[in-house]
Amino acid sequence: MNKINITEYLTIDLQKEMWCCSRCNAELISAKEPYYKGCLVYDRPGTEVYGPPIKIAKGQQVSYAPDPRFNHILEFYCPQCGIMLEVQYLPPGTPFLWILQSISME
């Protein structure tokens, strides 16, 4: 068995040392790199996820979306089939989190 499931839609091919999409088998990037570097990234506005502000009283409204000055919603997609591989909530200017790291294959 050359491929190991890492998450629901992410596998690692041990023979080729590649991150792969488990839905379409696309090779994303070398397993020596963070897999998100081989993904499409969408910086989604919080209002698309949580909806627009809600009126609660005359002239008052509340929003459940994160303030874009302090938080960005980053979605990572397979460039071949478009399945979402991961979501990260990060402050602006913060580098992507390298949550999964492959170990040396040697």
Side-chain angles (χ1 to χ4, degrees), residues 34-84:
Y35 69 90
Y36 61 77
K37 288 185 176 183
C39 297
L40 297 175
V41 181
Y42 178 40
D43 188 351
R44 179 173 282 219
T47 53
E48 283 187 13
V49 177
Y50 294 94
I54 301 167
K55 292 182 181 180
I56 57 172
K58 192 173 186 178
Q60 294 181 332
Q61 56 185 357
V62 65
S63 174
Y64 294 102
D67 187 328
R69 296 174 298 168
F70 305 109
N71 196 310
H72 285 242
I73 302 169
L74 302 174
E75 298 175 343
F76 298 87
Y77 294 92
C78 171
Q80 183 168 306
C81 71
I83 195 72
M84 184 188 294

